[in-house]
Amino acid sequence: MNDAGPDTAAISSLAARRVWDSRGNPTVEVEVHCAGGAIGRAIAPAGASRGTREAVDLRDGGAALGGTDVRRAIVGVNDIIAPLLGGMDATAQGAVDAALIDCDGTELKTRLGGNAMVATSLAVLHAGAAARGVPLWRHVADLSGAGPSLPLPEIQIFGGGAHAGQRVDVQDFMVMVPGADSFDEVMEITSEIYRAAGKIMARRGKLAGVADEGGWWPMFDSNEEALETLVAAIEAAGETPGDRVVISLDIAASEFGRNGRYRLALEDRDLDRDQMISQLGRWLDAYPIASIEDPLAEDDAQGMAAFTAEFGHRVQIIGDDYLVTNATLVDRAADDGACNAVLIKVNQAGTLTDSMRCLERARARGFRAIVSARSGETEDVSISHLAVGLGVGQLKVGSFTRSERMAKWNECLRIADALPRGAYVRGAPLAKTWWGQRKEGTS
Ligand code: PGA
Ligand code: ZN
């Protein structure tokens, strides 16, 4: 990989500083300098509805800043990671990540902290690209061997669950626009839908600001009312639901389900596994939903397998909390017939190399993949480049407001200008869903 020359790409300094995320919580930024002058920087994001098996962020605890401070993680970067990686080739991502993983030595990255590790891994990635004089997406494509492609966005219109004080049970009510001809057109159509949703909520006296990822705050009386309003917004934007635009849901069921029991608090209903699956099935039948994430809880392997057996032939079923960007869990899910897609969150895995290993397993097992942000984000746009360079085909970064979200969509627009025509294939990621089957020939 090192076309920059071993000396110019050598890491000459690496240090962390404390910066702040979109929720006003402290987080870790790492800055890497190479001998030839190249610089790379990256910031760790933070989740709110976290999987129990994902890499653990190192936070200080105690009373200050609600226990969220990251001073220990920063000390670890400066005192342990910097000497470890000093002098290494910044373009040798695999070797850098292997050194990090080896030094941490724990399954959940508890020694160095997932936050310290992901910021370091991605800062080195940026430095490597800068040392080579190539854009980040190109560097990632060269590392991964994938042909770069522009992703199909999944964009939140209403936020819920842990991102909106549990105001509604379902976490993300999103749209995808597989029928758009370009990434730019996806943005335009989504903007119209987002506006229309806001107008409808204002008219009904239900406008109450936005949730953590910029989607409208869900002042609804039921989860179903959110779905109905979403359909109304798609129509008000001049689209026919299910034609160019489809719905995508992140149920994030681990937030309200345990031991095969599910509590829909908003509707004051307790469901068992089978009732939960039937409830979701009714939504899949009644609304143009092409993708659904974490439909059952992370501890409910039986439910995930039953759900996938029933609906996997027509809907994308994504494991987020269920798979936590973990190659072993993807293999297990494929063996069990649970899920048919994996969410790729680099900070769940800890390093880029861990994430690429997971993606490699996902591809080998016929799973689709979606690169995703977290609910706590920053101006860092690395994941836009990852989505393109890993060629995954889909990207989820939250809603269509707030700059920590828009920065990532806007970065994709810049990358689009640099990519050859044909890097965006209309609808391809949803080809195997009911939408693609109906639109045969569009992908
Ligand atoms: P999180 O949620 O970043 O709060 O964990 C995002 C998601 O569930 O996809
Ligand atoms: Zn999720």
Side-chain angles (χ1 to χ4, degrees):
M1 181 59 50
N2 191 348
D3 39 16
D7 300 333
T8 55
I11 294 173
S12 55
S13 76
L14 188 158
R17 66 170 62 85
R18 186 176 67 169
V19 296
W20 303 83
D21 74 14
S22 55
R23 281 193 275 252
N25 288 330
T27 187
V28 180
E29 174 172 88
V30 171
E31 184 167 316
V32 175
H33 291 244
C34 296
I39 298 175
R41 252 198 316 260
I43 308 176
S49 67
R50 303 167 52 84
T52 52
R53 290 168 290 196
E54 66 177 86
V56 174
D57 285 347
L58 207 52
R59 302 225 176 239
D60 297 353
L65 300 176
T68 63
D69 211 351
V70 289
R71 294 204 182 270
R72 282 194 302 146
I74 286 171
V75 167
V77 173
N78 295 338
D79 292 357
I80 302 172
I81 296 179
L84 176 75
L85 302 185
M88 283 186 79
D89 178 355
T91 68
Q93 188 71 36
V96 165
D97 287 342
L100 281 173
I101 292 163
D102 190 48
C103 171
D104 175 74
T106 69
E107 203 182 322
L108 296 183
K109 286 27 183 201
T110 46
R111 178 170 178 238
L112 296 172
N115 45 358
M117 288 178 75
V118 75
T120 302
S121 180
L122 293 177
V124 169
L125 184 75
H126 278 269
R132 293 181 61 212
V134 298
L136 192 66
W137 60 265
R138 166 56 65 197
H139 185 45
V140 174
D142 291 344
L143 286 169
S144 74
S149 69
L150 265 180
L152 174 64
E154 235 190 317
I155 307 183
Q156 186 193 71
I157 305 298
F158 307 122
H163 303 162
Q166 312 292 347
R167 181 63 187 71
V168 295
D169 307 291
V170 174
Q171 182 181 285
D172 292 280
F173 296 87
M174 297 171 285
V175 292
M176 299 178 84
V177 193
D181 285 325
S182 66
F183 193 95
D184 184 53
E185 195 177 30
V186 173
M187 299 289 102
E188 190 173 316
I189 294 170
T190 305
S191 179
E192 296 286 13
I193 295 168
Y194 187 84
R195 265 163 228 276
K199 272 192 199 149
I200 292 170
M201 294 180 88
R203 208 167 50 229
R204 295 182 185 168
K206 294 198 164 180
L207 197 62
V210 298
D212 276 8
E213 297 190 357
W216 298 114
W217 185 268
M219 286 286 283
F220 298 112
D221 295 327
S222 66
N223 296 288
E224 197 128 4
E225 190 190 351
L227 283 162
E228 277 161 12
T229 309
L230 187 49
V231 165
I234 294 168
E235 284 169 344
E239 298 290 329
T240 305
D243 187 11
R244 290 201 299 177
V245 182
V246 296
I247 292 174
S248 169
L249 298 178
D250 182 0
I251 307 296
S254 308
E255 292 290 312
F256 58 87
R258 188 150 305 139
N259 300 326
R261 310 265 335 157
Y262 296 85
R263 162 107 194 121
L264 294 177
L266 181 60
E267 295 154 34
D268 193 19
R269 286 165 64 207
D270 289 293
L271 307 181
D272 65 20
R273 172 183 298 127
D274 291 343
Q275 290 167 324
M276 180 71 184
I277 293 172
S278 308
Q279 172 64 73
L280 295 172
R282 283 194 292 279
W283 289 349
L284 296 182
D285 287 339
Y287 301 97
I289 298 164
S291 180
I292 189 163
E293 184 175 324
D294 286 338
L296 287 302
E298 62 186 325
D299 68 354
D300 195 353
Q302 196 183 326
M304 287 294 284
F307 185 83
T308 305
E310 197 166 343
F311 301 109
H313 64 286
R314 60 173 165 120
V315 177
Q316 172 169 265
I317 301 169
I318 307 168
D320 170 16
D321 293 347
Y322 193 70
L323 298 174
V324 293
T325 317
N326 180 309
T328 308
L329 295 180
V330 166
D331 266 323
R332 192 179 303 160
D335 290 342
D336 295 348
C339 310
N340 57 30
V342 58
L343 208 67
I344 302 284
K345 289 171 164 169
V346 183
N347 83 323
Q348 281 182 331
T351 68
L352 180 67
T353 300
D354 284 290
S355 310
M356 286 170 60
R357 201 170 293 139
C358 174
L359 181 60
E360 187 266 314
R361 289 318 302 153
R363 287 195 165 121
R365 304 304 297 263
F367 276 33
R368 277 158 278 192
I370 301 93
V371 165
S372 171
R374 301 308 302 251
S375 50
E377 272 291 337
T378 66
E379 66 273 26
D380 189 298
V381 295
S382 307
I383 61 165
S384 303
H385 291 265
L386 295 185
V388 171
L390 296 172
V392 295
Q394 297 179 71
L395 177 63
K396 176 188 183 198
V397 311
S399 192
F400 208 70
T401 60
R402 295 190 161 196
S403 282
E404 81 277 7
R405 314 288 151 191
M406 303 316 291
K408 291 157 180 77
W409 302 132
N410 289 341
E411 188 72 355
C412 286
L413 290 166
R414 292 183 198 102
I415 299 170
D417 286 339
L419 288 174
R421 286 179 84 79
Y424 180 86
V425 181
R426 175 161 57 125
L430 295 185
K432 285 191 199 143
T433 66
W434 61 265
W435 183 86
Q437 287 154 21
R438 227 186 58 188
K439 296 261 153 186
E440 205 103 305
T442 57
S443 55

